[in-house]
Amino acid sequence: MTVTVAIKKAVIERDGGFCLLALPGCTGEAQTTDHRANRGSGGSTVLDDPANLIAACTLCNGAKADAGSLVLMELEERGLWVRKDSTNAKTLLRSRERPVEYLDGELFYLVSATERRHVSEGRP
């Protein structure tokens, strides 16, 4: 799977058009998507799954890539950063099982590029 422009647009719309990372200097408006668990240079496209993607502004996308451990810990608590597992398939499973905290504090599982499910409804 590759993150196409159509998938990026759908993820941004799913996430309300807002940057979910909300790091210092955030523009607020999402222009791109961010991998919750980073693929790495030339990494597997398994992690291009929409359950591993969130809406982000370009500034936060870059800031997350350069973030230190304290920022990553805070992002991990919010479900916006997922630690790599022993395989990309296991990492994707972690992303699917870890809900994302939206800007209003509500928690959602990311189901697809267009669908999210509130934690009160159970896992997808």
Side-chain angles (χ1 to χ4, degrees):
M1 176 182 288
T2 301
V3 183
T4 63
V5 171
I7 290 173
K8 284 184 179 189
K9 285 182 180 181
V11 167
I12 291 168
E13 186 174 320
R14 176 197 70 197
D15 294 345
F18 300 103
C19 174
L20 298 185
L21 295 169
L23 297 171
C26 180
T27 67
E29 182 182 348
Q31 301 97 4
T32 191
T33 57
D34 182 69
H35 287 81
R36 295 166 66 200
N38 197 344
R39 277 183 45 185
S41 298
S44 171
T45 58
V46 168
L47 296 176
D48 287 344
D49 188 284
N52 189 46
L53 298 172
I54 56 169
C57 72
T58 55
L59 293 175
C60 286
N61 185 270
K64 180 182 167 200
D66 297 332
S69 58
L70 291 177
V71 171
L72 291 177
M73 281 178 33
E74 189 262 331
L75 291 174
E76 184 175 27
E77 287 176 15
R78 294 171 45 211
L80 302 173
W81 182 70
V82 175
R83 290 179 190 270
K84 297 278 271 185
D85 205 322
S86 58
T87 67
N88 287 321
K90 288 181 180 180
T91 301
L92 179 58
L93 184 59
R94 275 188 181 175
S95 290
R96 289 187 181 281
E97 293 177 343
R98 178 66 174 103
V100 169
E101 182 180 326
Y102 277 71
L103 298 173
D104 61 2
E106 294 290 324
L107 295 171
F108 290 88
Y109 293 106
L110 305 182
V111 179
S112 70
T114 59
E115 183 185 359
R116 62 186 187 166
R117 181 175 295 163
H118 196 273
V119 293
S120 65
E121 300 175 52
R123 288 192 176 150

Short mmCIF file of all heavy atoms in Angstrom, two decimals, residues 37-100:
data_model
loop_
_atom_site.label_atom_id
_atom_site.label_comp_id
_atom_site.label_asym_id
_atom_site.label_seq_id
_atom_site.Cartn_x
_atom_site.Cartn_y
_atom_site.Cartn_z
N ALA A 37 3.49 5.11 13.67
CA ALA A 37 4.71 4.32 13.76
C ALA A 37 5.47 4.58 12.47
O ALA A 37 4.97 4.27 11.38
CB ALA A 37 4.41 2.83 13.91
N ASN A 38 6.62 5.18 12.57
CA ASN A 38 7.37 5.60 11.40
C ASN A 38 7.85 4.42 10.58
O ASN A 38 8.34 3.43 11.12
CB ASN A 38 8.56 6.46 11.83
CG ASN A 38 9.13 7.27 10.70
OD1 ASN A 38 8.86 7.00 9.53
ND2 ASN A 38 9.91 8.27 11.04
N ARG A 39 7.73 4.55 9.26
CA ARG A 39 8.22 3.52 8.35
C ARG A 39 9.74 3.48 8.32
O ARG A 39 10.33 2.44 8.10
CB ARG A 39 7.77 3.84 6.92
CG ARG A 39 6.42 3.40 6.58
CD ARG A 39 6.09 3.70 5.14
NE ARG A 39 7.20 3.33 4.26
CZ ARG A 39 7.21 3.57 2.96
NH1 ARG A 39 6.22 4.16 2.40
NH2 ARG A 39 8.23 3.22 2.22
N GLY A 40 10.37 4.63 8.48
CA GLY A 40 11.82 4.69 8.31
C GLY A 40 12.15 4.84 6.84
O GLY A 40 11.31 4.62 5.97
N SER A 41 13.35 5.18 6.54
CA SER A 41 13.76 5.37 5.15
C SER A 41 13.68 4.05 4.39
O SER A 41 14.31 3.07 4.76
CB SER A 41 15.19 5.90 5.09
OG SER A 41 15.26 7.15 5.72
N GLY A 42 12.85 4.06 3.36
CA GLY A 42 12.70 2.86 2.54
C GLY A 42 11.99 1.73 3.25
O GLY A 42 12.05 0.58 2.82
N GLY A 43 11.31 2.02 4.35
CA GLY A 43 10.66 0.99 5.15
C GLY A 43 9.46 0.37 4.45
O GLY A 43 9.03 0.80 3.39
N SER A 44 8.93 -0.63 5.08
CA SER A 44 7.81 -1.39 4.55
C SER A 44 6.58 -0.52 4.36
O SER A 44 6.24 0.30 5.22
CB SER A 44 7.49 -2.54 5.49
OG SER A 44 6.29 -3.17 5.11
N THR A 45 5.89 -0.74 3.27
CA THR A 45 4.65 -0.01 3.01
C THR A 45 3.49 -0.55 3.84
O THR A 45 2.41 0.03 3.82
CB THR A 45 4.28 -0.04 1.52
OG1 THR A 45 4.16 -1.41 1.10
CG2 THR A 45 5.34 0.66 0.68
N VAL A 46 3.70 -1.64 4.60
CA VAL A 46 2.67 -2.16 5.50
C VAL A 46 2.20 -1.05 6.43
O VAL A 46 1.01 -0.95 6.75
CB VAL A 46 3.22 -3.36 6.31
CG1 VAL A 46 2.29 -3.72 7.46
CG2 VAL A 46 3.45 -4.55 5.41
N LEU A 47 3.12 -0.18 6.84
CA LEU A 47 2.79 0.88 7.79
C LEU A 47 2.11 2.09 7.14
O LEU A 47 1.83 3.07 7.81
CB LEU A 47 4.03 1.29 8.57
CG LEU A 47 4.61 0.17 9.46
CD1 LEU A 47 5.89 0.63 10.12
CD2 LEU A 47 3.59 -0.30 10.47
N ASP A 48 1.84 2.00 5.84
CA ASP A 48 1.07 3.05 5.15
C ASP A 48 -0.43 2.87 5.35
O ASP A 48 -1.22 3.63 4.81
CB ASP A 48 1.39 3.06 3.65
CG ASP A 48 2.77 3.63 3.35
OD1 ASP A 48 3.36 4.28 4.23
OD2 ASP A 48 3.26 3.40 2.23
N ASP A 49 -0.83 1.90 6.12
CA ASP A 49 -2.23 1.63 6.40
C ASP A 49 -2.86 2.84 7.10
O ASP A 49 -2.24 3.43 7.99
CB ASP A 49 -2.32 0.39 7.30
CG ASP A 49 -3.74 -0.07 7.49
OD1 ASP A 49 -4.47 0.57 8.28
OD2 ASP A 49 -4.11 -1.07 6.86
N PRO A 50 -4.09 3.21 6.74
CA PRO A 50 -4.75 4.37 7.36
C PRO A 50 -4.89 4.29 8.88
O PRO A 50 -4.98 5.32 9.55
CB PRO A 50 -6.12 4.41 6.68
CG PRO A 50 -5.87 3.80 5.34
CD PRO A 50 -4.87 2.71 5.60
N ALA A 51 -4.88 3.09 9.46
CA ALA A 51 -4.94 2.96 10.92
C ALA A 51 -3.65 3.47 11.56
O ALA A 51 -3.61 3.72 12.76
CB ALA A 51 -5.17 1.50 11.32
N ASN A 52 -2.62 3.63 10.76
CA ASN A 52 -1.33 4.13 11.25
C ASN A 52 -1.10 5.58 10.84
O ASN A 52 -0.02 6.12 11.05
CB ASN A 52 -0.20 3.23 10.72
CG ASN A 52 1.13 3.54 11.36
OD1 ASN A 52 1.23 3.69 12.57
ND2 ASN A 52 2.15 3.67 10.53
N LEU A 53 -2.09 6.22 10.24
CA LEU A 53 -1.95 7.59 9.74
C LEU A 53 -2.87 8.55 10.50
O LEU A 53 -4.01 8.21 10.81
CB LEU A 53 -2.29 7.66 8.25
CG LEU A 53 -1.42 6.84 7.31
CD1 LEU A 53 -2.01 6.88 5.90
CD2 LEU A 53 0.01 7.34 7.31
N ILE A 54 -2.35 9.74 10.76
CA ILE A 54 -3.14 10.81 11.36
C ILE A 54 -2.92 12.09 10.57
O ILE A 54 -1.90 12.25 9.89
CB ILE A 54 -2.77 11.05 12.84
CG1 ILE A 54 -1.28 11.34 12.99
CG2 ILE A 54 -3.23 9.89 13.70
CD1 ILE A 54 -0.86 11.84 14.35
N ALA A 55 -3.85 13.01 10.68
CA ALA A 55 -3.74 14.31 10.05
C ALA A 55 -2.72 15.16 10.80
O ALA A 55 -2.67 15.13 12.04
CB ALA A 55 -5.09 15.02 10.03
N ALA A 56 -1.90 15.91 10.06
CA ALA A 56 -0.87 16.75 10.69
C ALA A 56 -0.58 17.96 9.81
O ALA A 56 -0.77 17.93 8.59
CB ALA A 56 0.41 15.95 10.88
N CYS A 57 -0.11 19.02 10.45
CA CYS A 57 0.41 20.15 9.68
C CYS A 57 1.87 19.83 9.35
O CYS A 57 2.49 18.97 9.98
CB CYS A 57 0.28 21.46 10.45
SG CYS A 57 1.40 21.69 11.85
N THR A 58 2.40 20.50 8.37
CA THR A 58 3.77 20.20 7.95
C THR A 58 4.79 20.54 9.04
O THR A 58 5.81 19.86 9.17
CB THR A 58 4.12 20.92 6.64
OG1 THR A 58 3.88 22.32 6.80
CG2 THR A 58 3.28 20.40 5.49
N LEU A 59 4.52 21.57 9.83
CA LEU A 59 5.46 21.94 10.90
C LEU A 59 5.53 20.85 11.98
O LEU A 59 6.61 20.46 12.41
CB LEU A 59 5.06 23.27 11.52
CG LEU A 59 5.20 24.49 10.61
CD1 LEU A 59 4.66 25.74 11.30
CD2 LEU A 59 6.64 24.69 10.20
N CYS A 60 4.38 20.36 12.41
CA CYS A 60 4.37 19.30 13.43
C CYS A 60 4.93 17.99 12.88
O CYS A 60 5.59 17.26 13.60
CB CYS A 60 2.96 19.09 13.96
SG CYS A 60 2.39 20.40 15.07
N ASN A 61 4.66 17.72 11.62
CA ASN A 61 5.19 16.51 11.00
C ASN A 61 6.71 16.50 11.08
O ASN A 61 7.32 15.50 11.45
CB ASN A 61 4.70 16.42 9.55
CG ASN A 61 5.12 15.13 8.88
OD1 ASN A 61 6.18 15.08 8.27
ND2 ASN A 61 4.28 14.13 8.96
N GLY A 62 7.33 17.62 10.77
CA GLY A 62 8.78 17.74 10.86
C GLY A 62 9.27 17.75 12.30
O GLY A 62 10.29 17.13 12.62
N ALA A 63 8.54 18.43 13.18
CA ALA A 63 8.94 18.51 14.58
C ALA A 63 8.88 17.14 15.25
O ALA A 63 9.74 16.81 16.07
CB ALA A 63 8.05 19.50 15.33
N LYS A 64 7.90 16.33 14.90
CA LYS A 64 7.80 14.99 15.47
C LYS A 64 9.00 14.15 15.06
O LYS A 64 9.54 13.40 15.86
CB LYS A 64 6.51 14.31 15.04
CG LYS A 64 6.35 12.92 15.62
CD LYS A 64 5.08 12.27 15.13
CE LYS A 64 5.09 10.79 15.45
NZ LYS A 64 4.16 10.04 14.62
N ALA A 65 9.43 14.30 13.83
CA ALA A 65 10.58 13.52 13.34
C ALA A 65 11.84 13.86 14.12
O ALA A 65 12.72 13.02 14.28
CB ALA A 65 10.79 13.78 11.85
N ASP A 66 11.93 15.09 14.63
CA ASP A 66 13.11 15.53 15.38
C ASP A 66 12.89 15.54 16.89
O ASP A 66 13.75 16.00 17.64
CB ASP A 66 13.49 16.95 14.93
CG ASP A 66 13.88 17.02 13.46
OD1 ASP A 66 14.36 16.00 12.93
OD2 ASP A 66 13.67 18.08 12.85
N ALA A 67 11.73 15.06 17.35
CA ALA A 67 11.35 15.17 18.76
C ALA A 67 12.22 14.31 19.67
O ALA A 67 12.65 13.22 19.29
CB ALA A 67 9.88 14.80 18.94
N GLY A 68 12.42 14.82 20.87
CA GLY A 68 13.13 14.08 21.90
C GLY A 68 12.21 13.13 22.64
O GLY A 68 11.00 13.06 22.38
N SER A 69 12.78 12.41 23.57
CA SER A 69 12.03 11.35 24.26
C SER A 69 10.84 11.86 25.07
O SER A 69 9.81 11.19 25.13
CB SER A 69 12.96 10.53 25.15
OG SER A 69 13.58 11.37 26.11
N LEU A 70 10.93 13.05 25.68
CA LEU A 70 9.81 13.57 26.46
C LEU A 70 8.60 13.86 25.58
O LEU A 70 7.46 13.56 25.94
CB LEU A 70 10.21 14.81 27.25
CG LEU A 70 11.18 14.57 28.40
CD1 LEU A 70 11.56 15.89 29.06
CD2 LEU A 70 10.57 13.63 29.43
N VAL A 71 8.86 14.45 24.42
CA VAL A 71 7.76 14.76 23.48
C VAL A 71 7.17 13.45 22.96
O VAL A 71 5.95 13.29 22.90
CB VAL A 71 8.26 15.64 22.31
CG1 VAL A 71 7.20 15.78 21.24
CG2 VAL A 71 8.66 17.01 22.83
N LEU A 72 8.02 12.50 22.60
CA LEU A 72 7.51 11.22 22.10
C LEU A 72 6.70 10.47 23.16
O LEU A 72 5.69 9.84 22.84
CB LEU A 72 8.66 10.35 21.59
CG LEU A 72 9.34 10.86 20.32
CD1 LEU A 72 10.52 9.96 19.95
CD2 LEU A 72 8.36 10.98 19.16
N MET A 73 7.11 10.56 24.41
CA MET A 73 6.34 9.93 25.48
C MET A 73 4.94 10.53 25.58
O MET A 73 3.95 9.81 25.74
CB MET A 73 7.06 10.07 26.83
CG MET A 73 8.19 9.09 27.01
SD MET A 73 9.12 9.27 28.56
CE MET A 73 7.94 9.80 29.74
N GLU A 74 4.86 11.85 25.48
CA GLU A 74 3.56 12.52 25.54
C GLU A 74 2.71 12.14 24.33
O GLU A 74 1.52 11.87 24.46
CB GLU A 74 3.78 14.04 25.61
CG GLU A 74 2.51 14.84 25.88
CD GLU A 74 1.90 15.40 24.61
OE1 GLU A 74 2.65 15.68 23.66
OE2 GLU A 74 0.68 15.57 24.58
N LEU A 75 3.33 12.07 23.15
CA LEU A 75 2.60 11.67 21.95
C LEU A 75 2.15 10.22 22.04
O LEU A 75 1.06 9.86 21.60
CB LEU A 75 3.46 11.89 20.70
CG LEU A 75 3.73 13.35 20.33
CD1 LEU A 75 4.71 13.43 19.17
CD2 LEU A 75 2.45 14.10 20.02
N GLU A 76 2.99 9.38 22.65
CA GLU A 76 2.63 7.97 22.83
C GLU A 76 1.41 7.85 23.75
O GLU A 76 0.50 7.05 23.49
CB GLU A 76 3.81 7.20 23.40
CG GLU A 76 3.56 5.71 23.52
CD GLU A 76 4.78 4.94 23.98
OE1 GLU A 76 5.65 5.50 24.67
OE2 GLU A 76 4.86 3.74 23.63
N GLU A 77 1.37 8.63 24.81
CA GLU A 77 0.23 8.61 25.73
C GLU A 77 -1.06 8.98 25.01
O GLU A 77 -2.14 8.48 25.35
CB GLU A 77 0.46 9.56 26.90
CG GLU A 77 1.48 9.07 27.89
CD GLU A 77 1.76 10.09 28.99
OE1 GLU A 77 0.97 11.05 29.15
OE2 GLU A 77 2.78 9.93 29.68
N ARG A 78 -0.96 9.85 24.02
CA ARG A 78 -2.13 10.30 23.25
C ARG A 78 -2.42 9.39 22.06
O ARG A 78 -3.34 9.65 21.28
CB ARG A 78 -1.92 11.74 22.79
CG ARG A 78 -1.89 12.73 23.96
CD ARG A 78 -1.46 14.14 23.58
NE ARG A 78 -2.09 14.65 22.38
CZ ARG A 78 -1.49 15.52 21.55
NH1 ARG A 78 -0.28 15.97 21.80
NH2 ARG A 78 -2.12 15.94 20.48
N GLY A 79 -1.61 8.34 21.86
CA GLY A 79 -1.81 7.42 20.75
C GLY A 79 -1.33 7.94 19.42
O GLY A 79 -1.64 7.38 18.37
N LEU A 80 -0.56 9.02 19.44
CA LEU A 80 -0.11 9.66 18.20
C LEU A 80 1.28 9.19 17.77
O LEU A 80 1.74 9.51 16.68
CB LEU A 80 -0.11 11.18 18.38
CG LEU A 80 -1.48 11.75 18.75
CD1 LEU A 80 -1.37 13.23 19.08
CD2 LEU A 80 -2.49 11.50 17.65
N TRP A 81 1.94 8.45 18.64
CA TRP A 81 3.23 7.82 18.31
C TRP A 81 3.16 6.40 18.82
O TRP A 81 2.73 6.16 19.96
CB TRP A 81 4.39 8.57 18.96
CG TRP A 81 5.74 7.99 18.62
CD1 TRP A 81 6.36 8.04 17.41
CD2 TRP A 81 6.62 7.29 19.50
NE1 TRP A 81 7.57 7.41 17.48
CE2 TRP A 81 7.76 6.94 18.75
CE3 TRP A 81 6.55 6.92 20.84
CZ2 TRP A 81 8.83 6.24 19.29
CZ3 TRP A 81 7.62 6.22 21.38
CH2 TRP A 81 8.74 5.89 20.62
N VAL A 82 3.51 5.46 17.98
CA VAL A 82 3.45 4.05 18.32
C VAL A 82 4.85 3.47 18.17
O VAL A 82 5.51 3.65 17.14
CB VAL A 82 2.45 3.30 17.39
CG1 VAL A 82 2.47 1.81 17.66
CG2 VAL A 82 1.05 3.87 17.56
N ARG A 83 5.28 2.78 19.23
CA ARG A 83 6.61 2.14 19.20
C ARG A 83 6.63 0.99 18.21
O ARG A 83 5.65 0.26 18.09
CB ARG A 83 6.98 1.60 20.58
CG ARG A 83 7.26 2.66 21.58
CD ARG A 83 7.61 2.03 22.93
NE ARG A 83 7.64 3.05 23.96
CZ ARG A 83 8.73 3.73 24.27
NH1 ARG A 83 9.86 3.49 23.64
NH2 ARG A 83 8.68 4.66 25.20
N LYS A 84 7.76 0.83 17.56
CA LYS A 84 7.94 -0.27 16.62
C LYS A 84 7.97 -1.58 17.41
O LYS A 84 8.45 -1.64 18.53
CB LYS A 84 9.25 -0.11 15.85
CG LYS A 84 9.28 1.14 14.96
CD LYS A 84 8.59 0.93 13.67
CE LYS A 84 9.60 0.40 12.67
NZ LYS A 84 9.05 0.26 11.35
N ASP A 85 7.46 -2.63 16.78
CA ASP A 85 7.51 -3.98 17.33
C ASP A 85 8.53 -4.78 16.53
O ASP A 85 9.24 -4.21 15.69
CB ASP A 85 6.11 -4.62 17.27
CG ASP A 85 5.91 -5.70 18.32
OD1 ASP A 85 6.86 -6.46 18.58
OD2 ASP A 85 4.80 -5.79 18.87
N SER A 86 8.59 -6.06 16.75
CA SER A 86 9.60 -6.89 16.10
C SER A 86 9.39 -7.02 14.59
O SER A 86 10.33 -7.28 13.86
CB SER A 86 9.64 -8.28 16.74
OG SER A 86 8.37 -8.90 16.66
N THR A 87 8.14 -6.86 14.14
CA THR A 87 7.86 -6.87 12.70
C THR A 87 6.92 -5.71 12.38
O THR A 87 6.23 -5.19 13.27
CB THR A 87 7.17 -8.19 12.25
OG1 THR A 87 5.86 -8.25 12.82
CG2 THR A 87 8.00 -9.41 12.65
N ASN A 88 6.88 -5.34 11.11
CA ASN A 88 5.96 -4.27 10.70
C ASN A 88 4.50 -4.68 10.88
O ASN A 88 3.66 -3.86 11.23
CB ASN A 88 6.25 -3.85 9.26
CG ASN A 88 7.52 -3.05 9.16
OD1 ASN A 88 7.81 -2.22 10.02
ND2 ASN A 88 8.31 -3.30 8.13
N ALA A 89 4.20 -5.96 10.66
CA ALA A 89 2.82 -6.44 10.85
C ALA A 89 2.41 -6.30 12.32
O ALA A 89 1.28 -5.88 12.62
CB ALA A 89 2.70 -7.89 10.39
N LYS A 90 3.31 -6.62 13.25
CA LYS A 90 3.01 -6.47 14.68
C LYS A 90 2.91 -4.99 15.05
O LYS A 90 2.09 -4.62 15.89
CB LYS A 90 4.08 -7.15 15.53
CG LYS A 90 3.99 -8.66 15.48
CD LYS A 90 5.07 -9.29 16.36
CE LYS A 90 4.99 -10.80 16.33
NZ LYS A 90 6.03 -11.41 17.19
N THR A 91 3.72 -4.15 14.42
CA THR A 91 3.63 -2.72 14.68
C THR A 91 2.29 -2.17 14.21
O THR A 91 1.65 -1.39 14.91
CB THR A 91 4.79 -1.97 13.99
OG1 THR A 91 6.03 -2.48 14.47
CG2 THR A 91 4.72 -0.47 14.24
N LEU A 92 1.84 -2.61 13.03
CA LEU A 92 0.53 -2.18 12.53
C LEU A 92 -0.58 -2.64 13.48
O LEU A 92 -1.52 -1.87 13.75
CB LEU A 92 0.28 -2.70 11.12
CG LEU A 92 -1.06 -2.32 10.51
CD1 LEU A 92 -1.26 -0.81 10.47
CD2 LEU A 92 -1.18 -2.93 9.12
N LEU A 93 -0.47 -3.83 14.00
CA LEU A 93 -1.45 -4.31 14.97
C LEU A 93 -1.47 -3.41 16.20
O LEU A 93 -2.55 -3.08 16.71
CB LEU A 93 -1.14 -5.76 15.37
CG LEU A 93 -2.14 -6.42 16.30
CD1 LEU A 93 -3.54 -6.46 15.69
CD2 LEU A 93 -1.67 -7.83 16.65
N ARG A 94 -0.31 -2.98 16.67
CA ARG A 94 -0.25 -2.03 17.79
C ARG A 94 -1.02 -0.75 17.46
O ARG A 94 -1.75 -0.21 18.29
CB ARG A 94 1.20 -1.64 18.10
CG ARG A 94 1.91 -2.57 18.99
CD ARG A 94 3.25 -2.00 19.38
NE ARG A 94 3.93 -2.95 20.25
CZ ARG A 94 5.14 -2.81 20.67
NH1 ARG A 94 5.86 -1.76 20.34
NH2 ARG A 94 5.68 -3.71 21.46
N SER A 95 -0.83 -0.26 16.23
CA SER A 95 -1.53 0.96 15.81
C SER A 95 -3.04 0.75 15.81
O SER A 95 -3.80 1.61 16.22
CB SER A 95 -1.07 1.41 14.42
OG SER A 95 0.24 1.89 14.46
N ARG A 96 -3.46 -0.40 15.33
CA ARG A 96 -4.90 -0.70 15.27
C ARG A 96 -5.51 -0.81 16.67
O ARG A 96 -6.66 -0.45 16.88
CB ARG A 96 -5.15 -2.00 14.51
CG ARG A 96 -4.90 -1.89 13.03
CD ARG A 96 -5.33 -3.18 12.33
NE ARG A 96 -5.09 -3.11 10.92
CZ ARG A 96 -5.87 -2.48 10.05
NH1 ARG A 96 -6.93 -1.83 10.49
NH2 ARG A 96 -5.58 -2.45 8.77
N GLU A 97 -4.73 -1.31 17.62
CA GLU A 97 -5.24 -1.54 18.97
C GLU A 97 -5.11 -0.33 19.89
O GLU A 97 -5.69 -0.31 20.97
CB GLU A 97 -4.52 -2.74 19.60
CG GLU A 97 -4.86 -4.04 18.91
CD GLU A 97 -4.11 -5.23 19.47
OE1 GLU A 97 -3.08 -5.03 20.17
OE2 GLU A 97 -4.53 -6.36 19.19
N ARG A 98 -4.36 0.68 19.47
CA ARG A 98 -4.12 1.87 20.31
C ARG A 98 -4.99 3.01 19.82
O ARG A 98 -4.84 3.50 18.71
CB ARG A 98 -2.65 2.26 20.25
CG ARG A 98 -2.30 3.50 21.04
CD ARG A 98 -2.49 3.24 22.54
NE ARG A 98 -2.02 4.36 23.32
CZ ARG A 98 -2.82 5.25 23.89
NH1 ARG A 98 -4.11 5.16 23.77
NH2 ARG A 98 -2.31 6.24 24.60
N PRO A 99 -5.96 3.45 20.65
CA PRO A 99 -6.80 4.57 20.22
C PRO A 99 -6.02 5.88 20.19
O PRO A 99 -4.99 6.02 20.85
CB PRO A 99 -7.90 4.62 21.28
CG PRO A 99 -7.34 3.93 22.47
CD PRO A 99 -6.32 2.94 21.96
N VAL A 100 -6.54 6.81 19.43
CA VAL A 100 -5.96 8.14 19.29
C VAL A 100 -6.80 9.13 20.08
O VAL A 100 -8.02 9.12 19.99
CB VAL A 100 -5.92 8.55 17.79
CG1 VAL A 100 -5.59 10.01 17.62
CG2 VAL A 100 -4.95 7.67 17.02
#
